[in-house]
């Protein structure tokens, strides 16, 4: 049916050109794709599509932000639709590796995004039509840590120590309780931060790696960070399904708040190139 996997993704885009509504999540979805939506270089091919998605199910008033007057009364059946761009990156084989992984780059609009509904519909499409399973994971735990956790945005450490009783009969089931320690208002010198990052990266590198703090070993570490004004708590032992979030440079945004497509593609090309250097492209 298809020469390679990229054609199945294109078929997904074309199949979903008409509006799809998820009444459980009360969210809409449709794709806008044409044959020119592709670029290629020595390292990868990248297909992009514009996704229109919005929410419905409750009424509201649309007001003028300056005069506070109601401009439109939104009905529960009305869909507040926004455009989002999705880039699907297909790395090319090299002499050393036959590539078995690719890359999704989703554009968010403020607090709104389309990652969940898109990947859910893709999984259904791949499974029903081709008996293929689509699996999405973070690119690499180390890259996630370097991109998301920074000295200027870390707010709190949440450390968990599982307590085990000396009486073996207490440990037959699920342990004997846990101790949680939280530390906020953090300040690090450059040297302290370098040591802390080494420890954080070590914990993120393995599900059973312990975090040592003040000569005490903790079984689990969570960090609370500020990303674009929003607080996010990250469990460093569970990074597998988390996404790296980066702000789009201000110069890419136009007056209406949406990105300039040409500049966005140039930016995403740079991001894809950087991320692919960190990815293990073969499923071992």
């Amino acid at each position: 049916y298809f020469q390679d996997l990229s054609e199945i993704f294109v078929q997904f885009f074309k199949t979903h050109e008409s509006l799809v509504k998820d009444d459980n999540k009360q969210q809409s979805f449709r794709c806008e794709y044409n044959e020119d939506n592709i670029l290629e270089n020595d390292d990868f091919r990248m297909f992009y599509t514009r996704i229109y998605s919005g929410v419905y199910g409750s009424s509201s008033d649309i007001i003028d932000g300056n005069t506070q007057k109601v401009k439109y009364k939104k009905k529960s059946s009305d869909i507040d639709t926004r455009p989002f761009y999705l880039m699907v990156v297909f790395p090319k084989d090299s002499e050393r590796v036959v590539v078995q992984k690719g890359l999704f780059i989703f554009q968010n609009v403020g607090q709104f995004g389309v990652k969940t509904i898109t990947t859910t519909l893709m999984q259904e499409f791949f499974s029903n039509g081709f008996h293929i399973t689509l699996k999405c994971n973070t690119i690499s735990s180390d890259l996630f840590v370097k991109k998301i956790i920074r000295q200027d945005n870390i707010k709190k450490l949440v450390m968990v120590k599982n307590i085990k009783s000396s009486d073996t009969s207490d440990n037959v089931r699920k342990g004997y309780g846990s101790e949680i320690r939280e530390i906020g208002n953090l300040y690090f010198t450059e040297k302290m931060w370098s040591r802390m990052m080494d420890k954080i990266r070590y914990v993120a590198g393995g599900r059973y790696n312990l975090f040592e703090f003040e000569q005490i070993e903790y079984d689990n570490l969570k960090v609370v960070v500020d990303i674009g004004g929003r607080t996010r708590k990250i469990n460093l032992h569970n990074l597998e399904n988390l996404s790296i979030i980066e702000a789009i440079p201000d110069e890419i945004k136009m007056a209406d708040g949406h990105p300039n497509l040409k500049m966005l593609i140039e930016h995403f090309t740079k991001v894809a190139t950087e991320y692919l250097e960190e990815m293990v492209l073969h499923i071992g």
Side-chain angles (χ1 to χ4, degrees):
Y1 288 85
F2 300 101
Q3 292 185 1
D4 60 53
L5 189 63
S6 62
E7 296 181 17
I8 304 182
F9 281 92
V10 171
Q11 186 64 38
F12 171 82
F13 299 150
K14 292 180 177 180
T15 302
H16 291 80
E17 288 178 339
S18 298
L19 186 72
V20 175
K21 293 198 299 181
D22 184 335
D23 288 331
N24 290 324
K25 296 180 180 179
Q26 297 185 323
Q27 187 175 9
S28 67
F29 180 92
R30 75 175 179 88
C31 294
E32 185 179 85
Y33 177 82
N34 65 63
E35 300 296 337
D36 297 327
N37 291 11
I38 179 174
L39 62 88
E40 185 169 2
N41 59 29
D42 292 339
D43 298 319
F44 58 82
R45 286 179 296 148
M46 183 163 72
F47 296 75
Y48 65 91
T49 185
R50 181 182 288 176
I51 294 173
Y52 290 92
S53 182
V55 296
Y56 59 93
S58 62
S59 60
S60 64
D61 291 340
I62 308 297
I63 67 171
D64 186 305
N66 295 319
T67 65
Q68 301 183 39
K69 292 183 178 180
V70 176
K71 301 192 71 174
Y72 177 75
K73 288 185 174 292
K74 178 179 173 291
K75 298 179 291 186
S76 61
S77 59
D78 291 337
I79 302 176
D80 181 13
T81 301
R82 291 176 172 84
F84 304 82
Y85 284 103
L86 163 63
M87 313 290 176
V88 186
V89 180
F90 298 90
K92 294 182 177 180
D93 294 341
S94 68
E95 295 180 357
R96 295 183 296 107
V97 64
V98 176
V99 175
Q100 295 176 315
K101 293 182 181 181
L103 180 67
F104 286 134
I105 304 179
F106 288 93
Q107 177 215 353
N108 286 354
V109 179
Q111 62 180 326
F112 300 100
V114 291
K115 175 191 168 186
T116 299
I117 190 171
T118 304
T119 54
T120 298
L121 289 172
M122 281 183 175
Q123 286 164 347
E124 293 175 358
F125 180 77
F126 278 39
S127 176
N128 295 337
F130 308 98
H131 306 292
I132 297 174
T133 299
L134 175 69
K135 186 175 182 181
C136 302
N137 299 110
T138 191
I139 295 170
S140 77
S141 59
D142 195 56
L143 181 61
F144 182 95
V145 168
K146 287 191 291 185
K147 287 288 185 180
I148 297 298
I149 302 173
R150 304 188 308 275
Q151 184 176 353
D152 63 348
N153 78 339
I154 189 167
K155 301 299 179 186
K156 187 184 295 185
L157 298 177
V158 181
M159 298 167 285
V160 180
K161 185 174 181 62
N162 294 323
I163 307 298
K164 293 186 177 180
S165 171
S166 58
D167 185 346
T168 55
S169 63
D170 290 331
N171 300 319
V172 172
R173 294 187 180 177
K174 292 190 177 179
Y176 197 66
S178 61
E179 172 189 335
I180 299 177
R181 182 181 178 187
E182 295 190 11
I183 300 179
N185 298 319
L186 300 171
Y187 170 78
F188 300 97
T189 64
E190 289 297 328
K191 189 174 181 180
M192 290 168 59
W193 176 247
S194 178
R195 290 201 302 266
M196 177 60 68
M197 276 300 292
D198 287 342
K199 292 183 178 182
I200 288 174
R201 291 169 67 180
Y202 171 74
V203 172
R207 185 174 293 274
Y208 301 105
N209 291 352
L210 301 179
F211 177 68
E212 182 181 336
F213 187 79
E214 295 181 342
Q215 298 182 327
I216 300 174
E217 290 186 333
Y218 293 89
D219 301 276
N220 185 268
L221 173 66
K222 299 176 183 178
V223 294
V224 179
V225 296
D226 182 285
I227 301 176
R230 296 166 58 193
T231 300
R232 186 178 184 185
K233 181 184 283 189
I234 299 165
N235 184 345
L236 289 174
H237 284 277
N238 187 28
L239 299 181
E240 202 170 80
N241 297 316
L242 298 182
S243 300
I244 296 173
I245 299 175
E246 290 195 42
I248 294 176
D250 290 338
E251 60 269 21
I252 292 178
K253 297 178 183 177
M254 299 187 294
D256 61 2
H258 296 298
N260 176 293
L261 178 57
K262 183 176 182 296
M263 297 176 68
L264 183 69
I265 291 175
E266 291 174 355
H267 174 67
F268 279 171
T269 300
K270 293 178 183 177
V271 170
T273 302
E274 176 187 353
Y275 284 6
L276 289 175
E277 292 176 355
E278 302 282 346
M279 285 181 67
V280 176
L281 297 173
H282 186 86
I283 300 172

